[in-house]
Amino acid sequence: MRRVPRVGRMEAEILRFVTEHHPVTVREVAEYFAQTKGYARTTVLTVMERLRKKGYLKRKKVGNTYQYSPSQPKTALFQSLVRDFVQSVLGGSIAPFVAYLSQEAKLSDEELRELRQLVLELEERKRKA
């Protein structure tokens, strides 16, 4: 399994924004984060370039500006980030994550249905193994 470069908190915020609004320019991202977090344009540019070098973002020149997009589909991107978090922070154990879901997370009915379906699929895979 390929090792995924770690992502810090600010990187995760910017990556999530780009993933949800792509293709975007540094200017668009910087304007949003200047208003919501007070980040400077140079800081946003530095973080976006760091994410590009880590392989999370790609860019394409359109006219005189670069447009940034995620390097992989949203689902695959977030799965790799969660996998890295579970391995590096939780030592491979999902028990703390499950405890968080059961005690603190505010889950919608749809999210609960999705979790039930995932558990059924996991049980089926285990039975077949």
Side-chain angles (χ1 to χ4, degrees):
M1 185 180 313
R2 176 175 84 79
R3 173 87 170 101
V4 178
R6 285 195 179 166
V7 174
R9 185 175 303 243
M10 185 184 292
E11 289 174 325
E13 291 172 341
I14 290 174
L15 182 57
R16 185 175 28 250
F17 182 85
V18 173
T19 300
E20 293 171 355
H21 298 92
H22 70 91
V24 293
T25 63
V26 170
R27 179 181 184 165
E28 293 166 325
V29 179
E31 286 175 355
Y32 173 79
F33 282 101
Q35 292 174 356
T36 61
K37 301 280 186 173
Y39 297 164
R41 182 188 183 285
T42 54
T43 301
V44 172
L45 172 60
T46 299
V47 172
M48 290 176 70
E49 277 302 299
R50 193 178 321 137
L51 287 166
R52 188 178 69 83
K53 289 176 183 169
K54 287 181 176 183
Y56 291 110
L57 295 180
K58 59 185 178 182
R59 71 180 186 189
K60 180 173 93 172
K61 192 157 189 167
V62 177
N64 292 330
T65 61
Y66 285 106
Q67 291 185 338
Y68 289 77
S69 296
S71 59
Q72 54 186 321
K74 183 178 180 176
T75 302
L77 178 65
F78 289 144
Q79 282 178 351
S80 68
L81 291 171
V82 169
R83 182 183 313 111
D84 182 55
F85 175 79
V86 168
Q87 293 301 319
S88 63
V89 176
L90 302 180
S93 172
I94 64 165
F97 182 70
V98 173
Y100 163 78
L101 289 176
S102 69
Q103 296 171 8
E104 296 185 37
K106 308 257 188 288
L107 300 173
S108 68
D109 290 342
E110 178 60 28
E111 289 169 323
L112 283 172
R113 277 192 290 279
E114 289 175 15
L115 283 172
R116 282 187 197 103
Q117 184 59 40
L118 286 171
V119 169
L120 290 173
E121 290 170 12
L122 286 169
E123 289 173 340
E124 182 62 27
R125 262 192 268 154
K126 188 171 182 173
R127 271 195 298 275
K128 289 181 178 181

